[in-house]
């Protein structure tokens, strides 16, 4: 249970995160949480790096 109101800011864009916060993957070397925008950006960058072949599908 949360006590009071936690203010969480995105580790990348520093925007305040609302109800949905995303935990950064350890591989990203980011501590803290991300907003949905930065998270989806990071995750697509990450998968492109992991699977360079998939770029061709775009
Ligand atoms: Zn963000």
């Amino acid at each position: 249970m949360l006590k009071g109101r936690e203010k969480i800011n995105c580790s990348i864009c520093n925007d305040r995160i609302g109800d949905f916060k995303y935990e950064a993957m350890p591989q990203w070397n980011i501590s803290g949480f991300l907003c949905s925008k930065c998270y989806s950006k990071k995750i697509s960058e990450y998968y492109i790096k992991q699977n360079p072949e998939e770029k061709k599908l775009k």
Side-chain angles (χ1 to χ4, degrees):
M1 279 237 288
L2 291 176
K3 279 182 194 167
R5 232 188 210 171
E6 261 187 286
K7 272 188 213 157
I8 299 168
N9 288 65
C10 172
S11 299
I12 294 180
C13 69
N14 216 37
D15 258 7
R16 197 150 78 81
I17 302 174
D19 292 334
F20 297 99
K21 58 185 196 288
Y22 295 84
E23 208 171 343
M25 290 175 87
Q27 296 93 315
W28 300 347
N29 291 315
I30 296 167
S31 60
F33 294 96
L34 306 180
C35 69
S36 55
K37 244 197 288 179
C38 294
Y39 184 81
S40 46
K41 210 175 128 185
K42 273 309 256 191
I43 205 130
S44 51
E45 278 173 14
Y46 176 74
Y47 282 115
I48 287 167
K49 259 187 233 168
Q50 294 299 300
N51 308 293
E53 294 291 313
E54 279 186 23
K55 254 193 217 170
K56 292 173 194 164
L57 298 174
K58 210 178 172 185

